[in-house]
Amino acid sequence: MPMLAPYIQLMKLRVVELLLITTLPTLFLASHGVPKLGITVATLLGGTLAAGAANAFNMVIERESDKLMARTAKRPLPTGAVTPKAATIFASGLTVLSLAIFYLWTTSLATLLTFLAIFFYVVFYTIGLKRRTSQNIVWGGIAGCMPVLIGWAAVTNRLSLPAWFFFVLIFFWTPPHFWALAIKYKDDYAAARIPMLPVVATLDSVQYQMWMHTIAMVISSFALLWSANLAWWIWILNAILA
């Protein structure tokens, strides 16, 4: 087990947990009730492996910048607990296994969306966007929105309007959630020369953008309730929590 621990750390399971929290209710919505056990297990397991693979690839790519930040310096690659080659093989294996699970036990559309989510996070966000724009997490957050589409497709093999509104809800939730953390770790990101919004903008500007995204998120939540034709008491609960 001690030998496996660094590889488990590569998957960043605490982050994956957030993705699963959005996937599970999607399965219930798409099924108009309790989803089939087989599809539920396959989707959650495949989703865990897919997100873990993306996170592992991310750590391989960012291993040098991780050395410069206090909160990431003890990750398996900066410490040498895992080599870049071993981590890449591990991430590739997780990718293949996750896609196989989705293909064999869910639908072809869910499989395709899972591949696109991994590709988007690794190539477009980690390699393409993260160091080039302060809006990196806005567009990179699309990868974190994909589990709701994947979950819906796993049940129906298509994407309906509620799935897209759920996608938009997560899209607007992600930036203010992440920017709050980025404010705390502003110095870390500055040291690694990663232009997260709190590094390059004033606190007032960051707070304004957080508010705008939060308002859009609340509006999106009601759009989701409308499109899914959910019960009146859920509307009331949503209004109270919002």
Side-chain angles (χ1 to χ4, degrees), residues 43-197:
T43 302
L44 296 181
L45 177 59
T48 297
L49 297 176
N55 288 330
F57 279 125
N58 172 272
M59 286 200 190
V60 172
I61 296 166
E62 299 195 322
R63 61 188 183 275
E64 294 302 323
S65 60
D66 279 349
K67 294 178 182 179
L68 304 174
M69 297 191 289
R71 71 182 186 86
T72 58
K74 294 183 179 180
R75 285 177 174 176
L77 284 159
T79 61
V82 179
T83 65
K85 181 179 179 181
T88 302
I89 293 173
F90 177 68
S92 300
L94 290 181
T95 299
V96 172
L97 184 57
S98 68
L99 294 176
I101 289 172
F102 274 107
Y103 184 77
L104 292 174
W105 285 289
T106 65
T107 67
S108 56
L109 179 57
T111 307
L112 174 61
L113 291 171
T114 301
F115 171 78
L116 291 176
I118 296 172
F119 184 84
F120 188 93
Y121 184 76
V122 175
V123 177
F124 281 87
Y125 173 64
T126 303
I127 297 176
L129 293 172
K130 193 167 183 177
R131 293 183 172 277
R132 289 179 170 84
T133 172
S134 62
Q135 295 295 305
N136 44 26
I137 195 60
V138 175
W139 305 111
I142 289 174
C145 306
M146 292 296 288
V148 298
L149 299 185
I150 294 168
W152 198 280
V155 173
T156 66
N157 202 30
R158 60 189 178 87
L159 296 176
S160 303
L161 188 59
W164 288 110
F165 276 129
F166 207 163
F167 177 95
V168 172
L169 169 62
I170 304 301
F171 177 82
F172 285 119
W173 170 84
T174 302
H177 161 77
F178 191 88
W179 285 332
L181 296 175
I183 291 172
K184 179 179 180 180
Y185 296 110
K186 175 182 175 180
D187 293 341
D188 262 3
Y189 286 117
R193 297 183 180 179
I194 299 175
M196 291 299 176
L197 187 63

Side-chain angles (χ1 to χ4, degrees), residues 1-56:
M1 189 65 183
M3 294 181 63
L4 291 176
Y7 290 93
I8 300 301
Q9 292 175 32
L10 290 175
M11 297 175 69
K12 293 198 283 190
L13 293 180
R14 290 183 64 184
V15 176
V16 174
E17 180 184 359
L18 295 176
L19 303 179
L20 298 182
I21 288 174
T22 61
T23 303
L24 189 58
T26 304
L27 296 174
F28 279 83
L29 278 176
S31 302
H32 299 288
V34 179
K36 293 180 180 179
L37 180 60
I39 290 178
T40 301
V41 172
T43 302
L44 296 181
L45 177 59
T48 297
L49 297 176
N55 288 330

Side-chain angles (χ1 to χ4, degrees), residues 230-242:
L230 295 179
W232 62 269
W233 61 268
I234 300 179
W235 285 73
I236 296 175
L237 184 60
N238 187 70
I240 294 173
L241 294 177

